[in-house]
């Protein structure tokens, strides 16, 4: 068949969602013209729709090798490689772009953001700098560089970039949101009026309404206008929730499936002398970044950040792509798998990130869903579970604009239900894998960091040093929602952040109490 007829056959199969037929036609087309990246990219998508994770990854790797590609192909290629956690592929494209005589600022900005997601912060910043150098007037390039600079702790530089963005593009809601988060706002210096004007614009897309609404909530909260801040938060959560497909029943079913798995015995550590992963898990916004910062102050611990490497290893082993960290298909296919291979793949994939330290942290909070698999795949791994006041944890989730990874966090009843599922699953892991998990209480950590870090050091098999008491002793790049807080000394709050919103949070409190969670009366 000719390339034209194969393309027509593939298009017709895609239109009727006949993924096997589409894949067959695209494979035929790729055999005739292997140098065309677009064919391989399309094949990767179709293989994913067919549920073939490994074949989809192989196709996008072939696309990365294909020389004939347009800027649009490269943008898709970068995003697709990120889907498979393929850091080497994104890094290769970024380096090629930076060496080009006339580099594309837009593609460099995309590379910067994706490399940041992959925790290659040095190359991410280099790409962002190159994008701004190539096109200083690009608001997208300045936005990307501002985000990189904030992660590196350059608050003045980040501020200048975000202010340049909103000066050039006043409707760039993501820049306003980024700007609001850099500093505590004051009555003399804030962006409240600008944010209200933006939110009043007719036809504002939900994504922008969410960015602007969360920014306005943060600034009004800084200013002590709690009534206005709550109203902004409600509007922002409604806008964001409307863009997401989420059902609490699915989370409950996933936890049921995980609990039903047999708790297989785990082998003694067979990797003496190798790297020891320290997984920090829990609810988001429970203090996991602070704990990683304190551990990173130890000379034998490398804080690597939030990673999807274990999820990628599980997806490869089960030949299935999923939304989020895990799903019911992966759980079902994991029965009977040799998870030691998952552990090897995980450690091999991590190797490029690691230095000479004996231990490294993997701080993806939602890895609490993977604890059973981690225990079997990595017998040497240490697992730390952060616990924090349930209302403070949930409120911190409610007021944070995440990516699409945490869709439960924009509705009080869905958030409470997810917290209860997290609590139920962790109780199961404690029973199924005794001694593998150390609970770390956030309040105790902030009250007496020395004693808590001594206990953690002993559990992890490292010597305690006094530097582990202060997060300022770590100079690593931080790319989580806690980027600003963890660069300062430990602060212990006598009155929680949720106190001014106690009345509005009653649906959350009531749902937690009904689920058996002890919630104290409203703080004074």
């Amino acid at each position: 068949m000719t390339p034209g007829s194969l393309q027509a056959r593939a298009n017709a199969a895609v239109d009727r969602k006949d993924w096997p037929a589409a894949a067959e036609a695209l494979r035929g087309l790729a055999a005739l013209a292997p140098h065309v990246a677009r064919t391989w990219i399309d094949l990767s998508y179709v293989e994913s729709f067919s549920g073939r994770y490994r074949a989809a990854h192989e196709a996008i790797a072939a696309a990365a090798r294909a020389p004939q590609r347009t800027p649009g192909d490269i943008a898709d290629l970068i995003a697709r490689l990120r889907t498979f956690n393929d850091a080497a592929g994104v890094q290769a494209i970024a380096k090629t772009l930076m060496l080009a005589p006339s580099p594309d600022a837009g593609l460099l900005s995309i590379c910067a953001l994706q490399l940041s997601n992959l925790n290659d912060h040095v190359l991410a910043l280099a790409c962002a700098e190159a994008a701004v150098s190539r096109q200083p007037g690009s608001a997208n390039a300045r936005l990307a560089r501002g985000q990189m600079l904030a992660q590196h702790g350059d608050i003045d530089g980040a501020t200048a970039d975000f202010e340049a963005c909103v000066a050039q593009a006043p409707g760039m809601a993501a820049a306003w949101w980024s700007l609001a988060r850099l500093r505590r706002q004051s009555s003399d210096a804030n962006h409240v009026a600008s944010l209200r004007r933006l939110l009043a614009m007719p036809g504002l897309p939900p994504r922008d309404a969410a960015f602007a609404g969360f920014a306005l909530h943060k600034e009004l909260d800084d200013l002590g206008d709690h009534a206005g801040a709550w109203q902004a938060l409600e509007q922002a959560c409604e806008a964001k929730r409307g863009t997401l497909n989420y059902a609490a029943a699915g989370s409950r079913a996933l936890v049921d499936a995980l609990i039903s798995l047999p708790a297989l015995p785990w082998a003694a550590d067979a990797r003496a002398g190798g790297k020891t992963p320290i997984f920090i898990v829990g609810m988001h916004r429970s203090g996991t970044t602070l704990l990683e910062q304190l551990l990173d102050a130890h000379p034998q611990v490398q804080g690597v950040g939030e990673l999807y490497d274990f999820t990628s290893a599980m997806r490869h082993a089960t030949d299935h792509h999923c939304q989020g960290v895990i799903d019911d298909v992966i759980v079902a296919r994991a029965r009977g798998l040799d998870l030691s291979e998952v552990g090897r793949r995980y450690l091999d994939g991590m190797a490029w990130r690691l230095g000479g330290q004996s231990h490294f942290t993997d701080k993806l909070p939602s890895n609490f869903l993977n604890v059973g698999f981690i225990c079997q795949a990595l017998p040497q791994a240490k697992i730390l579970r952060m616990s924090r006041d349930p209302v403070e944890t949930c409120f911190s989730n409610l007021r944070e604009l995440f990516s699409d990874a945490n869709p439960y966090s924009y509705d009080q009843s869905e958030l409470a239900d997810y917290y209860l599922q997290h609590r139920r699953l962790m109780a199961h892991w404690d029973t199924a894998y005794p001694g593998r998990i150390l609970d770390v209480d956030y309040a105790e950590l902030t009250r007496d960091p020395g004693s808590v870090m001594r206990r953690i050091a002993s559990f992890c098999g490292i010597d305690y040093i006094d530097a582990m008491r202060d997060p300022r002793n770590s100079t690593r790049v931080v790319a989580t929602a806690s980027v600003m807080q963890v660069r300062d000394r430990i602060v212990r709050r006598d009155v929680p952040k949720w106190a001014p919103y106690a009345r509005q949070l009653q649906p959350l409190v009531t749902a937690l109490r009904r689920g058996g969670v002890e919630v104290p009366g409203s703080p004074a």
Side-chain angles (χ1 to χ4, degrees), residues 335-358:
R335 291 178 182 270
L337 278 182
D338 177 8
L339 291 180
S340 63
E341 178 57 34
V342 171
R344 283 191 289 272
R345 186 175 186 84
Y346 168 79
L347 292 173
D348 288 346
M350 286 293 301
W352 71 270
R353 306 175 187 276
L354 304 179
Q357 296 92 333
S358 59

Side-chain angles (χ1 to χ4, degrees), residues 137-434:
S138 168
N140 287 329
R142 297 294 292 269
L143 178 64
R145 189 177 70 173
Q147 292 170 340
M148 304 306 111
L149 291 174
Q151 293 170 5
H152 283 262
D154 183 354
I155 305 308
D156 290 340
T159 299
D161 273 339
F162 296 145
E163 287 180 343
C165 288
V166 298
Q168 179 181 340
M172 184 177 267
W176 287 112
W177 176 70
S178 299
L179 195 57
R181 290 154 51 90
L182 287 179
R183 292 186 172 91
R184 184 176 180 82
Q185 309 300 309
S186 68
S187 57
D188 296 328
N190 62 76
H191 315 98
V192 169
S194 296
L195 289 166
R196 283 180 168 152
R197 282 195 298 271
L198 178 57
L199 283 164
M201 289 177 60
L204 189 67
R207 178 179 179 275
D208 290 341
F211 273 122
F214 277 102
L216 181 60
H217 162 74
K218 194 269 181 188
E219 298 214 359
L220 291 175
D221 181 76
D222 286 348
L223 299 174
D225 181 357
H226 297 121
W230 181 262
Q231 182 181 27
L233 179 59
E234 282 191 313
Q235 293 171 346
C237 285
E238 182 180 1
K240 179 65 175 180
R241 181 65 184 86
T243 67
L244 302 169
N245 180 21
Y246 175 74
S251 293
R252 292 194 292 271
L254 177 59
V255 171
D256 287 341
L258 287 165
I259 289 175
S260 74
L261 289 174
L264 300 176
W266 47 278
D269 183 7
R271 301 181 181 88
K275 302 287 186 179
T276 299
I278 303 173
F279 288 87
I280 304 174
V281 305
M283 287 287 291
H284 282 269
R285 310 297 293 146
S286 61
T288 55
T289 302
L290 172 62
L291 178 54
E292 183 176 45
Q293 194 81 344
L294 295 172
L295 281 164
D296 183 70
H298 194 287
Q300 284 305 313
V301 180
Q302 180 179 351
V304 185
E306 294 190 356
L307 308 172
Y308 281 86
D309 289 59
F310 193 85
T311 283
S312 294
M314 287 297 298
R315 290 173 177 173
H316 184 272
T318 57
D319 198 17
H320 174 70
H321 181 76
C322 64
Q323 295 296 319
V325 170
I326 199 170
D327 70 359
D328 55 347
V329 175
I330 286 182
V331 175
R333 293 186 182 181
R335 291 178 182 270
L337 278 182
D338 177 8
L339 291 180
S340 63
E341 178 57 34
V342 171
R344 283 191 289 272
R345 186 175 186 84
Y346 168 79
L347 292 173
D348 288 346
M350 286 293 301
W352 71 270
R353 306 175 187 276
L354 304 179
Q357 296 92 333
S358 59
H359 293 62
F360 67 90
T361 58
D362 185 331
K363 189 211 76 72
L364 182 66
S366 47
N367 261 331
F368 78 87
L369 294 163
N370 276 321
V371 162
F373 300 132
I374 291 169
C375 285
Q376 295 173 41
L378 296 160
Q380 78 276 37
K382 309 300 180 181
I383 303 171
L384 307 176
R385 184 260 180 128
M386 283 298 300
S387 300
R388 191 180 183 186
D389 168 79
V391 181
E392 187 77 339
T393 299
C394 289
F395 178 58
S396 294
N397 274 267
L398 190 70
R399 67 197 301 256
E400 182 61 49
L401 178 57
F402 294 104
S403 66
D404 295 345
N406 301 325
Y408 56 81
S409 65
Y410 304 100
D411 176 271
Q412 290 193 54
S413 109
E414 291 175 340
L415 179 53
D417 189 80
Y418 193 86
Y419 181 90
L420 295 173
Q421 300 315 308
H422 163 262
R423 185 169 176 257
R424 181 165 71 100
L425 184 57
M426 287 308 305
H428 167 72
W429 294 141
D430 283 333
T431 301
Y433 298 97

